Amino acid sequence: MTDRYSEIDEVIAYIHQHIYDPLPLSRLAQYAGYSPYHFTRIFKERIGLSPLYYVSSLRLQKAKDLLLRTNLTVRDIALEIGQQSLGTFTTRFTERVGVTPSEFRNSTLQAGNHLCSLQMLSDWRMSSPAVTAHNQIRGTVQAEIPFEGVILIGLFAKPIPEGLPLYGTLLSSLGDFCFMNVTPGTYYLMATSVSWGMCAMDILLPYTTLRTRSKEPLLVNPFLSVPHQQVTLHVPRLDDPPILISLPILMNRFLSRVLQNSHR
């Protein structure tokens, strides 16, 4: 697939270089040398997302960066990434990152605290409700390179880690995972890693974290079992979509569940 549509890599690099410019579909298709229809089809086949959705995702990632690395107002950041309406920007950011722009800007301390709490956690087990064999997704996580830390893994509605996962958990090491009582439907499996020594900024802007995603959807059927998933965390690649969901939210949700579990 990579060789077949290698020109898509050139388009992605072009998008990164011109992310603050207007990038209508016609401009991207012309750069690739295809009709808009054909370009959209092969881009989606390669990346899993439409070209314009991918562009909007990268712009939201830029917004996250600007919130943490500059003193620009939220309104100015919205304008910087081409969003004229502050209300629309705030709504989209909140839906796809999981917190408001202002909350994200102020979450550095929270990110560091959650990682410390996870490192001190001795029991990562969850109580297991009754399950049926057909309503679960099991698999094994490996990694291209060694690391020590936590793995955040979830089932998402789209082939991009944005918004809260429909099902999600944290793993203390590489190995097996299982999502139980999964409602029948279509899901995309995605995961990333956070090393123990990572600073809060790198957790909030996870450009370098190992990651993996299923480009093909997982279909959960009430009468058929899902094949065992073998996934490998790899170093970031050019065609990986940005990790938009704020990772401290997932850490906090997991820690809250562990705390509730310990009180039962």
Side-chain angles (χ1 to χ4, degrees), residues 98-119:
V99 289
T100 67
S102 298
E103 287 169 337
F104 182 79
R105 174 168 260 171
N106 296 320
S107 59
T108 308
L109 182 63
Q110 182 189 49
N113 288 344
H114 288 340
L115 189 60
C116 286
S117 297
L118 288 166
Q119 194 162 13

Side-chain angles (χ1 to χ4, degrees), residues 146-186:
F147 85 98
E148 289 189 8
V150 57
I151 299 162
L152 300 88
I153 186 166
L155 301 175
F156 291 82
K158 296 175 182 172
I160 176 173
E162 64 173 29
L164 289 171
L166 302 170
Y167 299 86
T169 192
L170 272 63
L171 308 173
S172 60
S173 65
L174 297 169
D176 295 336
F177 66 88
C178 181
F179 294 109
M180 298 178 289
N181 291 333
V182 178
T183 302
T186 302

Side-chain angles (χ1 to χ4, degrees), residues 53 60 74 78 81 83 85-103 162-163 244:
Y53 199 91
L60 281 177
V74 174
I81 67 162
Q83 190 64 253
S85 163
L86 176 62
T88 302
F89 167 69
T90 301
T91 299
R92 283 188 184 162
F93 188 98
T94 306
E95 283 176 353
R96 298 173 70 180
V97 178
V99 289
T100 67
S102 298
E103 287 169 337
E162 64 173 29
L244 290 183

Side-chain angles (χ1 to χ4, degrees), residues 30-225:
Q30 184 177 17
Y31 184 81
Y34 291 117
S35 69
Y37 172 80
H38 186 59
F39 170 68
T40 299
R41 187 179 64 78
I42 64 169
F43 190 97
K44 194 166 185 179
E45 191 174 329
R46 170 75 195 280
I47 306 300
L49 303 164
S50 72
L52 295 186
Y53 199 91
Y54 179 81
V55 169
S56 76
S57 301
L58 278 189
R59 285 181 172 153
L60 281 177
Q61 179 172 258
K62 286 291 183 188
K64 289 169 65 177
D65 201 290
L66 293 169
L67 284 164
L68 295 185
R69 297 189 196 273
T70 74
N71 293 320
L72 291 172
T73 65
V74 174
R75 181 180 291 279
D76 285 343
I77 289 171
L79 292 170
E80 189 77 11
I81 67 162
Q83 190 64 253
Q84 299 301 317
S85 163
L86 176 62
T88 302
F89 167 69
T90 301
T91 299
R92 283 188 184 162
F93 188 98
T94 306
E95 283 176 353
R96 298 173 70 180
V97 178
V99 289
T100 67
S102 298
E103 287 169 337
F104 182 79
R105 174 168 260 171
N106 296 320
S107 59
T108 308
L109 182 63
Q110 182 189 49
N113 288 344
H114 288 340
L115 189 60
C116 286
S117 297
L118 288 166
Q119 194 162 13
M120 290 163 42
L121 201 60
S122 57
D123 189 355
W124 289 61
R125 290 171 302 175
M126 293 285 179
S127 59
S128 301
V131 294
T132 61
H134 302 311
N135 283 47
Q136 53 185 276
I137 294 177
R138 291 182 176 273
T140 305
V141 187
Q142 301 169 308
E144 280 182 348
I145 57 175
F147 85 98
E148 289 189 8
V150 57
I151 299 162
L152 300 88
I153 186 166
L155 301 175
F156 291 82
K158 296 175 182 172
I160 176 173
E162 64 173 29
L164 289 171
L166 302 170
Y167 299 86
T169 192
L170 272 63
L171 308 173
S172 60
S173 65
L174 297 169
D176 295 336
F177 66 88
C178 181
F179 294 109
M180 298 178 289
N181 291 333
V182 178
T183 302
T186 302
Y187 302 93
Y188 292 87
L189 177 68
M190 276 167 277
T192 192
S193 66
V194 172
S195 300
W196 291 133
M198 197 168 268
C199 70
M201 186 73 83
D202 289 334
I203 298 170
L204 289 164
L205 301 174
Y207 294 129
T208 60
T209 59
L210 300 178
R211 61 202 61 199
T212 188
R213 67 175 179 134
S214 63
K215 288 185 183 174
E216 297 301 321
L218 299 179
L219 303 176
V220 177
N221 185 302
F223 308 110
L224 296 172
S225 57

